[in-house]
């Protein structure tokens, strides 16, 4: 694949991923907004519901009479004393509060009994604050008592810090009261209007949990939907990348095979032309040499085609014909043959095969191919002076083969994929070296067919070790 198209594709992907991320971001923002709106509404509905409940309890007759009659009448008495000048405003407040205190425990026991009978899924702490007491005698308003939000006056209920509390709707109570007083030494009955303003405050423990539980369906639904969209997006993008990789691998393969076929064909072309040359025709040795070239190029083409054909087999399709093989002999022969076939002049192979010898049950032909692929790579991706070490051992019922070289090494990223079909390391000057990216793939397939494993350890510029484990 050429550079420009790859770059274009990469840009396309980046844009695609960016747009998806933006869309996902927008979607989650909208979702969050909607969920938050629902939360606010649900909370309001819940508080309204609690408000109704509390005012219902407030209206229970027994509580009503404790508040309006017992406490209210007491307040009216104190106001009468105040009107007659017997006590001052402060005293009214003190006595009124003392009365409320004395009534509180019975008020609360009734209150809690009502609350218990409702069997709510949350607990409520309640108190009633006195906001103001205002009287009007036909001419003037007199504020007997008033509280501020900083220092509320608690009438009935439990003590608690109001910071966290919910204020329910305040209630007003109007009444006309009479009192006896003396005007110019004669006893008369006067009347006044009284307005008492109270407000209920409650603390609902766990109210958030209650509200959240009520919207759990929506929450779970939106989380699932969100996860589903992310999964879908992830899957699609991953799929796209895989498709793109496959396309790249195919193009690479076609480029590689074209390149591989071109060289022997060109050589064949030159060789056949030379065969027509009279000078060569007349010299038997030159004729032989040229024929040798034709033969070798022909073999090379044959090998190439065989490689493509056999390598399309998967591990399950490889037919193994296993035989008993003595490891020492097998490796000695392999090394000798390999040295003979390779034209590399500066090659040392260290044979460190396990002694005493061991009998292996392997397919000689396929196993040889597998190891030759590794040995050939050691030269292809090696330095001028190539050193290969073959070491074997038996460990935990496995026959272990290490083949190490002193070559250019493989980066950790590439180590993961070199056994993939058609994979070739694409950076550096590696592409000067011919190949189809099939060698290690086939080696892997053969080792797998033998129920073994193959792994690699490598350091760039130091060398590579292939480790094969075969069950014995
Ligand atoms: P090919 O050699 O035809 O490219 P292989 O499947 O044999 O394909 O190898 C895959 C890739 O692994 C090679 O392209 C090369 O980059 C890398 N590789 C294989 N063996 C070695 C090695 N001994 N040292 C460094 N790189 C190697």
């Amino acid at each position: 694949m050429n550079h420009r198209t790859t770059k274009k594709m990469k840009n396309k992907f980046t844009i695609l991923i960016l747009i998806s991320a933006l869309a996902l971001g927008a979607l989650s923002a909208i979702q969050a907004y909607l969920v938050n709106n629902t939360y606010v509404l649900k909370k309001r509905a819940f508080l309204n519901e609690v408000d109704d409940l509390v005012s219902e309890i407030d209206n229970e007759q027994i509580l009503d009479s404790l508040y309006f009659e017992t406490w209210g009448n007491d307040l009216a008495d104190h106001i009468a004393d105040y009107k007659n000048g017997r006590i001052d405003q402060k005293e009214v407040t003190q006595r009124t509060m003392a009365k409320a205190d004395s009534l509180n425990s019975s008020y609360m026991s009734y209150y809690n009994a009502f609350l218990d009978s409702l069997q709510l899924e949350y607990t409520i702490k309640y108190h009633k604050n006195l906001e103001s007491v205002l009287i009007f005698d036909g001419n003037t308003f007199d504020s007997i008592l008033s509280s501020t939000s900083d220092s509320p006056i608690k009438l009935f209920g439990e003590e608690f810090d109001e910071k966290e509390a919910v204020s329910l709707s305040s209630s007003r109570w109007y009444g006309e009261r009479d009192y006896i007083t003396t005007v110019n030494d004669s006893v008369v009955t006067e009347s006044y209007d009284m307005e008492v303003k109270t407000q209920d405050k409650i603390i609902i423990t766990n109210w958030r949990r209650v509200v959240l539980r009520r919207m759990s369906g929506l929450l779970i639904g939106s989380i699932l939907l969100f996860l589903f969209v992310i999964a879908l997006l992830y899957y699609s993008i991953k799929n796209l990348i895989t498709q793109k990789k496959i396309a790249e691998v195919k193009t690479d393969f076609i480029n590689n095979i074209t390149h591989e076929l071109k060289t022997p064909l060109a050589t064949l072309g030159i060789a056949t032309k030379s065969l027509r040359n009279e000078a060569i025709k007349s010299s038997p040795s030159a004729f032989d040499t040229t024929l040798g070239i034709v033969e070798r190029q022909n073999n090379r083409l044959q090998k190439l085609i065989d490689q493509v054909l056999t390598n399309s087999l998967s591990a399950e399709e490889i037919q193994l014909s296993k035989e008993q093989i003595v490891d020492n002999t097998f490796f000695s022969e392999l090394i000798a043959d390999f040295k003979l076939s390779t034209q590399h002049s500066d090659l040392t192979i260290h044979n460190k095969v396990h002694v005493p010898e061991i009998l292996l049950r392997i397919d000689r032909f396929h196993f040889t191919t597998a190891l030759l692929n590794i040995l050939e790579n050691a030269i292809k991706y090696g330095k001028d002076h190539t050193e290969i070490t073959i070491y074997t051992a038996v460990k935990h019922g496995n026959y272990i083969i290490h083949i190490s070289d002193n070559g250019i090494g493989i980066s950790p990223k590439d180590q993961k994929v070199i056994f993939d079909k058609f994979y070739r390391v694409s950076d550096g000057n590696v592409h000067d070296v011919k190949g189809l990216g099939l060698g290690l793939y086939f080696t892997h397939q053969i080792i797998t067919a033998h129920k073994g494993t193959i792994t690699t350890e490598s350091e760039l510029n130091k060398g590579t070790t292939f480790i094969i484990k075969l069950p014995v």
Side-chain angles (χ1 to χ4, degrees), residues 256 260 307 373-374 376-382 405 407-410 414 417-420 422-426 430-431 433-443 458 463-466:
N256 287 334
E260 287 284 272
Q307 204 188 14
N373 285 345
I374 297 177
E376 276 163 10
N377 281 347
I379 292 181
K380 272 161 75 178
Y381 307 105
D405 63 45
I408 57 170
I410 306 167
D414 289 321
V417 283
I418 45 167
F419 298 108
D420 288 358
F422 304 133
Y423 188 81
R424 305 202 70 215
V425 176
S426 54
V430 186
H431 267 316
V433 182
K434 291 175 224 125
L436 297 179
L438 284 172
L440 287 183
Y441 167 74
F442 196 45
T443 299
S458 181
T464 309
T465 302
F466 286 92

Side-chain angles (χ1 to χ4, degrees), residues 336-404:
D337 286 354
F338 177 66
K339 272 185 173 167
L340 208 73
S341 68
T342 170
Q343 274 115 33
H344 201 284
S345 52
D346 196 357
L347 168 70
T348 320
I349 300 184
H350 302 283
N351 183 345
K352 291 192 179 166
V353 176
H354 178 263
V355 258
E357 56 192 33
I358 283 176
L359 273 184
L360 299 173
R361 263 192 69 78
I362 51 177
D363 179 314
R364 183 192 289 272
F365 173 75
H366 280 123
F367 206 73
T368 306
T369 316
L371 296 189
L372 279 179
N373 285 345
I374 297 177
L375 293 175
E376 276 163 10
N377 281 347
I379 292 181
K380 272 161 75 178
Y381 307 105
K383 309 219 172 105
D384 292 342
H385 168 69
T386 304
E387 251 180 73
I388 303 175
T389 308
I390 301 179
Y391 160 90
T392 70
V394 179
K395 247 186 230 167
H396 311 300
N398 283 318
Y399 190 77
I400 308 200
I401 307 167
H402 287 227
I403 302 179
S404 322

Side-chain angles (χ1 to χ4, degrees), residues 1-9:
M1 187 154 290
N2 78 38
H3 246 20
R4 202 182 289 163
T5 33
T6 320
K7 216 171 166 191
K8 240 185 188 173
M9 281 261 244

Side-chain angles (χ1 to χ4, degrees), residues 127-131 152-155 162 198-199 201:
H127 67 218
K128 190 191 275 298
N129 280 343
L130 186 60
E131 291 210 317
I153 301 171
K154 192 205 85 178
L155 201 55
E162 289 192 359
T198 59
Q199 188 173 45
K201 295 261 180 185

